Amino acid sequence: MNESLKKELPIIGIVLLPFMYLLYVWNSLPGKVPIHWNLKGEIDDWGSKYSLIGLVFLLPVLTYILMLVVPKIDPKKRIESMGGKYYQFKFILVAFMSVLALVIIYISNNQKLSSPIMIVVLVGILFVFMGNYFKVIKQNYFIGIKTPWTLESEEVWKLTHLLAGKMWVIGGLLIVICSLVLPENINFYFFISITAVISIVPIVYSYLIYKKLKNTNQ
């Protein structure tokens, strides 16, 4: 067996898990499943159970395909230089998407327990994971904080991702904690606020540090 294919088999197995679970519970699924919740955590929109098939493709399958393609189309081949770190990144990201798909299928099949909180907790965990990897992501066009200033300067990229890494870890932990202790309607605003802060601040910082370095070098 080809070594590269052998290495991918565990990830392929993880990609297939939601399909296996969906097949297992298919006959017990109701015809209509929740596809949206309001600020109170109440279901306010429904869709056909067949929409779950598309969801499984969009989450683990599409993510896995993108993670395979990105290194091949990266013009500077920076992602390939991450080596084992990129494989770990791909493994954990695909695993996260598969778990997310499993949770959504489970919620659809157990609507008495239906709540977006589990999904928000998973997103918080993903932020923690992403934050831990920001420090090893090298300058590229696909993964990370991609602004004109981080892409132009490797030093700006590094400094921006050091800050972003810390913010995403702290933000992710706050999201998990808030999800577990706050009412759902209040937690939604905390989730949006934290996500906005950890997304916007590194972008602004990349511009400021770029201007500072540019003025210093003049």
Side-chain angles (χ1 to χ4, degrees), residues 173-215:
L173 291 174
L174 285 174
I175 287 172
V176 172
I177 294 169
C178 290
S179 298
L180 298 176
V181 302
L182 295 178
E184 291 183 357
N185 57 334
I186 297 176
N187 179 61
F188 175 80
Y189 292 107
F190 272 88
F191 172 72
I192 295 298
S193 299
I194 293 170
T195 302
V197 169
I198 66 175
S199 300
I200 296 172
V201 170
I203 294 174
V204 175
Y205 176 78
S206 70
Y207 171 74
L208 295 176
I209 197 68
Y210 174 79
K211 294 293 289 185
K212 180 180 178 180
L213 291 173
K214 186 175 181 181
N215 291 334

Side-chain angles (χ1 to χ4, degrees), residues 98-131:
S98 288
V99 170
L100 182 58
L102 288 168
V103 168
I104 294 173
I105 296 169
Y106 178 80
I107 290 175
S108 299
N109 196 41
N110 299 271
Q111 293 177 12
K112 291 182 179 179
L113 302 175
S114 181
S115 170
I117 288 300
M118 287 191 290
I119 297 174
V120 174
V121 169
L122 285 175
V123 173
I125 293 172
L126 177 63
F127 286 170
V128 173
F129 155 70
M130 292 290 290

